[in-house]
Amino acid sequence: MKIVNFEETLAILPIEKTIAVMKACFADFEQGKISQTPRVVQVLPDGDQQNLFAMMPAYLGPDRVFGSKVITAFPKNAGTEYQSHMGQVMLFDSQHGQPVALIDANAITYIRTAAVTGLGTDFLAKKEAQDLALIGAGQQSHSHLAAMLAVRPIKTVHVFDLNAEQVARSIQRMQVAYPAVTFIAANSVQEAVADADIICTLTPSKQAFLEKGWVKPGAHINAIGTFTPTTREITSDLMVASRLFVDDYQAANNESGDYLIPLAEQVITKDHLQGSLGELVTKQVQGRQNETEITIFDAVGLAVEDLCCAEYVYQLVKEG
Ligand SMILES: NC(=O)c1ccc[n+]([C@@H]2O[C@H](COP(=O)([O-])OP(=O)(O)OC[C@H]3O[C@@H](n4cnc5c(N)ncnc54)[C@H](O)[C@@H]3O)[C@@H](O)[C@H]2O)c1
């Protein structure tokens, strides 16, 4: 049994490589070569904390591995010595059902989420996108910055978070990692997104906060932060005005408040959904069509992403 910790996992998964692993994962998923079971999310009965405990199983085929990510999401850990997501991805070999590895789930979640966003962005953002807004300056903002830089020539990054100290800490760290990029602390979401070609929303917000009138024509939005039917980041007006893509139809239908709330309000129909990432990767649907449309990539996160990344880490560790 291989046990791979946070640092070891990230050392094996640089962002460009992880984007390539995710591209193969979504092609396999679209072609039915790999599969997953809808995740089980338990909202812990811990009063108004509403912390989450989730199990995310997937199967990668007879000659590969299967297993589950088992993870907690405790949003109030943000800014403390504890990460807001912690757990393990447990892998079993598909031939005998033997447990073969435990891979740090926080590292997998950190990097695979951003890699999937990078992949989606590559199909949907304008080629020359240079201005990025990060809303939510937590852990995901760092991997998302790396992913956006991997797929577009980003020069300026505006950062907003409800916690201004968190913005200052994050910018300090990002500036060291990317000295050629200009980082600007924003005082509001509106200020952060005013010039943005790409917007990443990376918050556990319960209410929509990104307004249609604030987003410039041609912008691409990655709505990544929320993944329950009752939470969202994108207002209904903005959703109506945008072309929507998701990581997976079934997952969006079960979990995406950004999609399900305007659907329940009857301001969009199911036809509003233009395609999934698997359909983009396998060229069944077209991504961006012109320079003025607003596109949204709404991802709730899939077990196949975790398993494909964890399998990649396990293979490299096994080979020594
Ligand atoms: N879709 C996916 O696959 C996926 C994967 C991982 C994490 N997530 C979600 O993405 C979000 C970010 O993850 P993280 O690990 O960076 O979390 P984190 O806890 O490290 O950071 C979240 C940050 O968002 C800020 N915030 C909260 N509400 C806000 C608001 N309304 N406006 C601006 N800032 C706000 C908090 O102050 C905090 O700094 C979380 O909600 C997480 O559950 C989604």
Side-chain angles (χ1 to χ4, degrees), residues 32-35 59-66 92-97 311:
K33 294 180 184 163
I34 64 178
S35 60
Y59 178 75
L60 302 187
D63 303 324
R64 297 178 64 181
V65 295
F66 67 92
F92 299 80
D93 87 75
S94 294
Q95 212 180 351
H96 303 107
E311 179 196 46

Side-chain angles (χ1 to χ4, degrees), residues 111-178:
I111 199 76
R112 67 72 155 150
T113 306
V116 169
T117 308
L119 186 59
T121 301
D122 207 15
F123 289 103
L124 296 171
K126 287 188 291 188
K127 291 285 175 225
E128 74 288 2
Q130 296 191 347
D131 197 297
L132 169 67
L134 298 171
I135 311 300
Q139 194 188 30
Q140 283 293 334
S141 65
H142 296 268
S143 51
H144 274 73
L145 173 62
M148 296 304 102
L149 286 165
V151 297
R152 287 297 181 270
I154 302 297
K155 293 199 166 30
T156 307
V157 181
H158 304 265
V159 187
F160 175 74
D161 193 293
L162 290 180
N163 178 345
E165 284 172 20
Q166 182 68 15
V167 173
R169 269 196 300 272
S170 262
I171 288 185
Q172 199 175 24
R173 201 176 132 197
M174 289 171 176
Q175 191 72 76
V176 171
Y178 304 101

Side-chain angles (χ1 to χ4, degrees), residues 109-260:
T109 306
Y110 172 73
I111 199 76
R112 67 72 155 150
T113 306
V116 169
T117 308
L119 186 59
T121 301
D122 207 15
F123 289 103
L124 296 171
K126 287 188 291 188
K127 291 285 175 225
E128 74 288 2
Q130 296 191 347
D131 197 297
L132 169 67
L134 298 171
I135 311 300
Q139 194 188 30
Q140 283 293 334
S141 65
H142 296 268
S143 51
H144 274 73
L145 173 62
M148 296 304 102
L149 286 165
V151 297
R152 287 297 181 270
I154 302 297
K155 293 199 166 30
T156 307
V157 181
H158 304 265
V159 187
F160 175 74
D161 193 293
L162 290 180
N163 178 345
E165 284 172 20
Q166 182 68 15
V167 173
R169 269 196 300 272
S170 262
I171 288 185
Q172 199 175 24
R173 201 176 132 197
M174 289 171 176
Q175 191 72 76
V176 171
Y178 304 101
V181 176
T182 301
F183 293 93
I184 300 169
N187 293 310
S188 65
V189 175
Q190 184 174 4
E191 192 181 302
V193 304
D195 293 324
D197 302 307
I198 302 176
I199 300 164
C200 297
T201 60
L202 305 164
T203 81
S205 179
K206 303 235 180 315
Q207 265 100 43
F209 56 77
L210 190 57
E211 303 278 348
K212 176 185 161 194
W214 301 345
V215 175
K216 74 176 188 184
H220 170 63
I221 299 158
N222 293 309
I224 307 302
T226 54
F227 51 88
T228 70
T230 56
T231 55
R232 63 171 172 165
E233 297 174 294
I234 309 299
T235 55
S236 293
D237 280 356
L238 178 55
M239 182 56 76
V240 169
S242 308
R243 291 183 68 224
L244 173 65
F245 295 81
V246 294
D247 50 359
D248 175 54
Y249 287 99
Q250 188 183 16
N253 272 311
N254 289 342
E255 298 174 355
S256 169
D258 285 314
Y259 169 59
L260 292 172

Side-chain angles (χ1 to χ4, degrees), residues 8-124:
E8 291 162 342
T9 302
L10 286 191
I12 292 172
L13 288 171
I15 192 70
E16 288 83 0
K17 182 70 224 177
T18 314
I19 291 173
V21 172
M22 290 297 91
K23 193 169 187 179
C25 169
F26 275 88
D28 284 350
F29 189 43
E30 184 61 31
Q31 290 157 9
K33 294 180 184 163
I34 64 178
S35 60
Q36 63 182 24
T37 305
R39 74 178 129 206
V40 177
V41 181
Q42 184 184 13
V43 180
L44 296 178
D46 55 2
D48 43 3
Q49 302 279 339
Q50 301 222 310
N51 291 310
L52 302 180
F53 174 58
M55 304 258 296
M56 300 173 65
Y59 178 75
L60 302 187
D63 303 324
R64 297 178 64 181
V65 295
F66 67 92
S68 180
K69 180 161 88 170
V70 180
I71 195 162
T72 56
F74 278 50
K76 288 194 177 146
N77 284 351
T80 74
E81 64 184 293
Y82 297 96
Q83 302 295 350
S84 49
H85 297 78
M86 290 185 278
Q88 300 290 334
V89 182
M90 187 164 193
L91 296 184
F92 299 80
D93 87 75
S94 294
Q95 212 180 351
H96 303 107
Q98 184 188 21
V100 290
L102 279 179
I103 318 277
D104 186 276
N106 185 27
I108 296 284
T109 306
Y110 172 73
I111 199 76
R112 67 72 155 150
T113 306
V116 169
T117 308
L119 186 59
T121 301
D122 207 15
F123 289 103
L124 296 171

